[in-house]
Amino acid sequence: MIDQLAITASAAEWLPAARQLAGELQLRCLDCAEPSRLDAPAFVLQRGERLQLCATGRKAPGPVFVDFVGGTAAHRRKYGGGKGQQIAKAVGLRSGFYPGVVDATAGLGRDAFVLASLGCKVHMLERNPVVRALLRDGLERLQNAALEDVELAPIAQRLGLEESDVSARDWLQDQAPESIPVVYLDPMFPERGKSAGVKKEMAAFHQLVGSDEDADGLLEPALAACYYRTVVKRPRLAPCLAGRKPALSLEGKSGRFDIYTKHGVPG
């Protein structure tokens, strides 16, 4: 990753923050270099009003960033279907019951934000330091927006990020048995080639981050740590995690939620 990535600033005022981030991630800082004018490295993290991952070169796709305030997150928060969404059903959410969730493979935090917006307290784990930096930036902007938006304030309070470098497997193994109401897993699945359903910028993101080849090792520690259930999000035709059949599955057009139950959720 070090050979593929560097840090830049969108303007001179962001240079101190860019250089600080470069030190934290042990990456080169290219000062205010414009991503579209670079031939190498393949990606830069650009520090500006928001932190964003940019592919370099003239024909590069758009940037990848975490946005919990506007865009898709805002639309889904307002019009996404509330408790009727499959993810809400998968974690067992119902009126009067909003289980705490550990999202052990948070990625860009989209599902974590949905669950937090529906009332669950969500703790995100993300082992990739670049993705974790994007999440941290998104959370900071959410918290700033929440100071003036009464609808965002409770969501910001319910959404948190683990700052340590520990892997999800080790973190889960360190938890007391049955101490987490719900563990949620959405490991990065290998791309199936050029799919029209995968935006170019997300394809570039997957290229940098890679797939979670060790994802099968997450299931047992998740099952040991959870109290009610472990929920695994999978592509619709993907094999079950660790080859273990779930108690039940909720299928959609392109994906499914495999649910491994332990104790029944309150009725």
Side-chain angles (χ1 to χ4, degrees):
M1 183 178 73
I2 292 177
D3 294 335
Q4 290 184 291
L5 184 66
I7 307 294
T8 66
S10 63
E13 65 185 289
W14 293 102
L15 262 178
R19 288 169 178 165
Q20 180 180 345
L21 181 61
E24 292 171 359
L25 297 178
Q26 299 183 329
L27 295 170
R28 291 178 297 154
C29 183
L30 303 180
D31 292 344
C32 295
E34 175 59 38
S36 63
R37 297 181 179 178
L38 294 172
D39 295 323
F43 301 92
V44 294
L45 266 179
Q46 187 181 58
R47 177 72 271 183
E49 291 288 343
R50 68 187 183 206
L51 183 67
Q52 55 187 21
L53 179 67
C54 306
T56 58
R58 289 190 303 108
K59 296 183 179 181
V64 173
F65 53 92
V66 172
D67 184 6
F68 294 134
V69 178
T72 302
H75 186 272
R76 189 167 179 184
R77 174 167 60 88
K78 296 175 181 178
Y79 310 110
K83 297 183 183 69
Q85 297 176 72
Q86 277 199 324
I87 189 172
K89 297 176 182 178
V91 302
L93 190 153
R94 58 193 64 182
S95 183
F97 179 66
Y98 305 90
V101 179
V102 168
D103 184 347
T105 52
L108 295 174
R110 292 169 179 169
D111 288 342
F113 179 80
V114 170
L115 291 172
S117 69
L118 293 175
C120 296
K121 187 170 184 178
V122 184
H123 188 62
M124 298 183 290
L125 309 180
E126 175 51 53
R127 66 178 176 181
N128 186 290
V130 172
V131 183
R132 197 163 62 245
L134 293 170
L135 280 171
R136 186 186 307 115
D137 177 70
L139 272 177
E140 289 173 355
R141 286 184 284 108
L142 171 63
Q143 290 160 358
N144 289 335
L147 296 175
E148 300 181 359
D149 189 326
V150 295
E151 291 186 3
L152 290 176
I155 301 174
Q157 292 176 352
R158 291 192 290 263
L159 195 57
L161 175 65
E162 178 68 33
E163 289 291 351
S164 67
D165 289 327
V166 66
S167 70
R169 179 176 181 176
D170 290 345
W171 191 94
L172 290 168
Q173 288 177 334
D174 286 342
Q175 308 309 303
E178 299 191 350
S179 60
I180 303 169
V182 175
V183 176
Y184 182 79
L185 303 174
D186 180 15
M188 193 82 77
F189 198 72
E191 288 299 318
R192 296 167 294 174
K194 295 182 178 179
S195 169
V198 179
K199 292 183 178 180
K200 290 181 180 179
E201 57 265 29
M202 288 309 299
F205 173 77
H206 291 159
Q207 178 186 337
L208 178 68
V209 175
S211 58
D212 291 320
E213 302 293 346
D214 56 352
D216 285 348
L218 290 174
L219 187 58
E220 285 304 322
L223 291 173
C226 77
Y227 182 81
Y228 292 111
R229 57 183 57 180
T230 290
V231 178
V232 182
K233 185 178 181 179
R234 302 292 275 169
R236 188 172 64 86
L237 300 178
C240 296
L241 199 63
R244 182 163 175 171
K245 186 177 180 181
L248 66 152
S249 294
L250 299 178
E251 287 199 11
K253 292 182 179 179
S254 60
R256 71 175 194 269
F257 294 99
D258 290 343
I259 303 166
Y260 301 82
T261 57
K262 289 182 74 174
H263 302 283
V265 299

